[in-house]
Amino acid sequence: MRPGEKIILNDGQTATIVVNNPSRYQNIIIVRVENTNSHESELRVIDKRNKKLVFRANKKHSR
């Protein structure tokens, strides 16, 4: 998995990989999830194995 690649999370949402650095983060991937109803996106930290949410940033990012 490389930055810019799209993946499907375990809840069915599509996300774009932002950071996947195995030497620094062994068990997580940082992704950007687009909100389909607006031009906002959220950064999330997900578990690499099961693609499950670990942490959600409170701030939404506008594009």
Side-chain angles (χ1 to χ4, degrees), residues 25-42:
Y25 306 110
Q26 295 176 0
N27 300 315
I28 64 164
I29 302 170
I30 300 172
V31 298
R32 181 179 306 278
V33 178
E34 301 291 333
N35 185 340
T36 56
N37 298 328
S38 68
H39 295 290
E40 294 181 335
S41 62
E42 289 183 327

Side-chain angles (χ1 to χ4, degrees), residues 8-58:
I8 297 179
L9 304 179
N10 74 337
D11 63 0
Q13 291 184 301
T14 302
T16 304
I17 296 174
V18 177
V19 176
N20 181 17
N21 185 343
S23 63
R24 187 163 185 188
Y25 306 110
Q26 295 176 0
N27 300 315
I28 64 164
I29 302 170
I30 300 172
V31 298
R32 181 179 306 278
V33 178
E34 301 291 333
N35 185 340
T36 56
N37 298 328
S38 68
H39 295 290
E40 294 181 335
S41 62
E42 289 183 327
L43 290 177
R44 296 185 183 177
V45 177
I46 61 167
D47 183 282
K48 195 177 275 190
R49 284 179 290 174
N50 61 18
K51 297 183 181 141
K52 198 173 202 176
L53 178 68
V54 175
F55 178 79
R56 177 183 297 172
N58 290 333

